[in-house]
Amino acid sequence: MINFQSPEDALKTAGAVRQSVAPSLVSIEGGKAGEPNGSSWGSPKPIKAALPPVKRFHADLLPDRLRRYVYDVAERQQSPVDFSAVSALVAVSAVVGNRVRIAPKTNDDWLVVPNLWGGIIGRPSAMKSPAMQSALAPVYGLQDAMRKDWEGETRTARIDQTLATLSAKDAKKQAEKALKGGDRQRARGIMQEAMADDDEADKPCPRLVVNDATVEKLGELLNENPRGLLLVRDELPGFLARMESEEFQSERAFYLEAFNGDGRFTYDRIGRGTVQIESCTLSIIGGIQPSRIAPIVRGALTGATNDGLIQRLQLSVWPDDIGKWEWVDRHPNGAAREAYNAVFSDLHAMELGSPENPQTMRFAPGAQEAFRDWMSSLQNEARGKGISSVLESHLLKMPKTIASLALLFELIDGGRFEVGDVSTLRALDWYDYLRSHANRLYAAGETMAEDGAKLILDRRHQLPEAFTARAVHQKKWAGLADHAAVAAALETLVDTHHCEEFHLADTGGRPTIAYRWNPRLPKEGN
């Protein structure tokens, strides 16, 4: 188990390290580095930034109807199976939406909407996007079919509307005649029928997927598609970074609410007026590069942005690279793909609940006992000592995730009445798997200084002989976009004897701290 420091302890540790370094202070005349006064360079030490291990994905974590195609995609694309597996489950959760819910307790009124948020973390060219798109293909297929049906219905409705317009005078005369005859109900019926034609022609195109929408537009789309939507972002850090900005805090509040899947949200805008979103049901999936997620995690660890947004990415996976790459050139497994697609079409068409009147399923007796024991153990662990507040927040959101997975597994296997033992035990196995990936995710925030130090060291030839933190910051290298990250990385370089800190010659103002490289480092090209 990873022992995460609290932000206060981390600051104390950083201060202690800084005092122990005792950098030598020398002067530079004319902007050139002089020799250290009595300083002796030590040998550079290795910069270690090892991330904790993660559990490998096991085939039994998926129902058979999903498993074969997910593994087929991973083999053909030579990508970690984790990527397509997580994308598939988030896609399933979006298709089910809020029509079916699970009550994790036997008697309590606690209900869980099975929408899921996931992120697939891997280096560039790790095949994140191809794996995600292959897994999401059935959702896009359903959306295309819905759009074609809508286009046909809209054409028919517009024809009817045109015909209705041609006979509008006759309809008005008929209504007036009925009204004069004292039949107000018939007159009302004639007018309502004419108005219904207009409403049918203006029916919005149904959606399942959104990619980049303002929160106001997203709210309108959710009202038009009350079962819920799937937000797909090829690069999820762009979305997360937007949420970090002070300018978009109202949007952040909306997304925090949308995680639960059963809340309401109201926003007031001068242009759009007041918009009430009755069902904030949103599933999210996207790709993430390690260098982009580390600063965001660091912000949560230090308390700068610790409101629980990053912890809501419950299905975040960061698998090891596949290692040996193999050339695979074969046709997709047709039977596996057909079974996979059938899962989505069956769940989309199932007549089981609605946003207005959702179906509630509960655990079978044995499954209820297993879930109760697991949740009791989790709650005690999360509230115990030795766990950071960020990880605690992540763990305390796990009951919704595991209950959602159990429900989805049961629906995938055809269950429609109660969530059984097989589905529940499979979901509990996901906890152990996801917990190991959560450990790696939050450790990335702690190792950001080491990663930044390695990056500066690798690109040191792009810096002047005597350089400042400002010079590094201006490079805008990945993971070194803010001053705190640069300072932590430089401190690591000093501590490991890769460079030395000194003061530039006093020009009457505040002394400027600069850095110079250890002459024992290999020269460029060596």
Side-chain angles (χ1 to χ4, degrees), residues 369-419:
E369 183 177 356
F371 184 83
R372 181 197 64 200
D373 293 345
W374 166 79
M375 185 170 170
S376 299
S377 176
L378 173 72
Q379 294 288 335
N380 291 328
E381 178 189 1
R383 288 172 166 78
K385 297 180 179 180
I387 293 183
S388 70
S389 61
V390 176
L391 183 58
E392 176 188 354
S393 174
H394 188 101
L395 295 180
L396 292 178
K397 290 177 175 56
M398 272 289 179
K400 167 181 161 55
T401 301
I402 300 305
S404 297
L405 288 172
L407 173 60
L408 294 175
F409 292 149
E410 186 69 27
L411 294 174
I412 290 169
D413 285 338
R416 298 294 185 267
F417 302 103
E418 63 180 7
V419 179

Side-chain angles (χ1 to χ4, degrees), residues 138-152:
V139 182
Y140 285 106
L142 288 171
Q143 181 169 263
D144 291 342
M146 292 165 61
R147 186 185 68 251
K148 290 180 181 178
D149 291 343
W150 170 82
E151 289 173 347

Side-chain angles (χ1 to χ4, degrees), residues 335-350:
R337 180 160 61 184
E338 184 176 348
Y340 182 82
N341 291 342
V343 170
F344 292 87
S345 58
D346 290 349
L347 293 177
H348 185 256
M350 71 175 180

